[in-house]
Amino acid sequence: MKDYQLHEIKIEDYNQINEYYNLRRPEMADSNILDLFLWENCYPTWYFTNEHGLMWVAKSEDNQYYSSVPCCREEDLKECFLETQDYFNNVLKKKLTMYLVDKKALETLDLPEDEYIVIPDRTYYDYVYDAEKLRTFSGKKYHKKKNHLNAFKKEYEGRYSFKILGKENEKEILEYLEKWKETKSHAEEYEFIDSEAKGIKYILDNEEVFDYKIGGVYVDDKLESFCIGNYYEQEDMVYLPVEKANPEIRGLYQYICSQFLIEAFPLAGKENREDDMGIEGLRKSKLSYNPIYMVEKYTIIQK
């Protein structure tokens, strides 16, 4: 049996891990290294490497082990997949379950049907948008969004401002998230927001390591909205893992959506606004922004 060396995810290893992330770019939010560090406190994750790539081992809250697509070149994907399976079968003594597998990876792996079950998971499909459309909300499809945006600008004229934020704004960002939590009604949502807040604090505390931008909107000198995004040149894509806005202020979501792209990523061609987690209201909202395509994801289960 091979001697696998599992590693914890540490900020000191960011550059090394990022090199693996850049070997293959499947346009998924899950291929965004910022997401890895944002959510590591919520989903305990380890990795091991070989000469071709990086393989994942993660554990759910109910102590079930799973993996996700290895970070490697397309031509090495099959080998790294089998290496992951070997770890699960011979070290963990478990069948392999791999989540968040992109369509191209499935085609490359070409898995035999008698050995694996492959299930599409609509819950985790990413929404990808034309960034210029979100900057301008131009055209009939965006008529309602434009109306909301104009209503915000008119009602709060002279009272709002957009700013690029950083570590110096950490206190007010975390205080904002605490107030945001009060608008939620379920314990699960509380835990989700608490994990998100830990992740945001972590990347703020290490902002010199990460490549991202935070945009905030102030109304009457009070932070009422903020978002976090980063850009990958390979796919000309902005990834938006975090976006929050006071739902009581009409047009605020439309304003930060548009203004963040204008100010922080004026030349980006596309924006990935991640999945809807299967939440009906969130799905309706994301569809209303007219995605140009969805990034499909699948689950692989070894029989």
Side-chain angles (χ1 to χ4, degrees), residues 183-214:
T183 68
K184 304 303 176 182
S185 56
H186 301 293
E188 286 183 7
E189 290 183 287
Y190 289 173
E191 292 175 9
F192 180 85
I193 295 167
D194 286 342
S195 291
E196 187 176 38
K198 288 178 184 176
I200 290 171
K201 184 179 189 306
Y202 186 82
I203 67 167
L204 283 169
D205 288 345
N206 295 281
E207 69 172 8
E208 71 282 355
V209 175
F210 297 102
D211 182 16
Y212 66 84
K213 293 185 180 179
I214 303 180

Side-chain angles (χ1 to χ4, degrees), residues 32-291:
N32 179 9
I33 193 170
L34 191 63
D35 270 39
L36 175 69
F37 285 89
L38 269 172
W39 296 109
E40 198 278 329
N41 72 90
C42 189
Y43 307 107
T45 305
W46 303 266
Y47 68 92
F48 63 91
T49 62
N50 62 19
E51 62 270 28
H52 296 301
L54 179 151
M55 282 64 69
W56 302 106
V57 180
K59 188 164 66 171
S60 62
E61 290 181 349
D62 57 355
N63 291 318
Q64 298 299 310
Y65 285 93
Y66 63 92
S67 188
S68 53
V69 183
C71 294
C72 61
R73 296 177 301 174
E74 197 74 38
E75 57 265 36
D76 297 321
L77 189 57
K78 189 67 174 278
E79 179 181 338
C80 290
F81 173 84
L82 293 174
E83 188 95 329
T84 306
Q85 180 172 286
D86 182 73
Y87 181 87
F88 272 69
N89 294 171
N90 295 314
V91 178
L92 297 178
K93 307 299 181 184
K94 297 178 181 296
K95 297 287 190 179
L96 172 64
T97 297
M98 184 173 284
Y99 294 120
L100 307 172
V101 181
D102 60 282
K103 193 172 184 178
K104 174 64 174 172
L106 268 187
E107 294 170 354
T108 299
L109 292 171
D110 191 24
L111 300 171
E113 293 182 7
D114 60 333
E115 295 181 30
Y116 302 91
I117 300 170
V118 177
I119 306 168
D121 196 342
R122 174 64 179 82
T123 296
Y124 296 108
Y125 283 18
D126 286 345
Y127 294 76
V128 177
Y129 303 85
D130 180 330
E132 188 58 24
K133 287 292 185 182
L134 297 187
R135 290 186 192 98
T136 63
F137 292 130
S138 61
K140 290 182 180 180
K141 288 183 178 180
Y142 290 96
H143 182 67
K144 288 184 179 179
K145 303 296 183 191
K146 189 81 167 184
N147 283 345
H148 288 313
L149 176 62
N150 290 337
F152 169 78
K153 290 181 175 180
K154 182 178 180 181
E155 182 173 352
Y156 297 96
E157 184 177 2
R159 297 165 55 192
Y160 69 87
S161 61
F162 177 92
K163 298 178 183 177
I164 296 295
L165 309 180
K167 181 172 171 54
E168 67 275 11
N169 306 103
E170 180 178 309
K171 185 173 183 290
E172 59 185 328
I173 289 172
L174 297 179
E175 286 175 351
Y176 178 91
L177 285 170
E178 274 298 309
K179 292 177 182 176
W180 174 266
K181 191 165 66 172
E182 294 171 8
T183 68
K184 304 303 176 182
S185 56
H186 301 293
E188 286 183 7
E189 290 183 287
Y190 289 173
E191 292 175 9
F192 180 85
I193 295 167
D194 286 342
S195 291
E196 187 176 38
K198 288 178 184 176
I200 290 171
K201 184 179 189 306
Y202 186 82
I203 67 167
L204 283 169
D205 288 345
N206 295 281
E207 69 172 8
E208 71 282 355
V209 175
F210 297 102
D211 182 16
Y212 66 84
K213 293 185 180 179
I214 303 180
V217 180
Y218 291 79
V219 178
D220 296 330
D221 297 319
K222 179 183 176 184
L223 183 64
E224 295 285 6
S225 177
F226 81 95
C227 63
I228 302 175
N230 62 325
Y231 176 76
Y232 277 89
E233 185 177 1
Q234 295 98 315
E235 57 263 40
D236 190 21
M237 183 92 75
V238 173
Y239 289 85
L240 197 79
V242 178
E243 183 183 63
K244 301 280 187 280
N246 184 341
E248 302 299 317
I249 299 178
R250 181 190 174 191
L252 183 54
Y253 266 112
Q254 286 75 32
Y255 178 71
I256 194 165
C257 170
S258 169
Q259 201 64 28
F260 184 58
L261 284 169
I262 290 170
E263 299 268 0
F265 304 103
L267 301 178
K270 294 176 288 186
E271 182 174 67
N272 183 318
R273 296 176 68 83
E274 303 209 341
D275 58 65
D276 58 36
M277 299 181 290
I279 299 172
E280 186 177 348
L282 194 54
R283 180 167 298 184
K284 184 178 179 181
S285 173
K286 287 181 182 285
L287 287 170
S288 74
Y289 280 83
N290 303 299

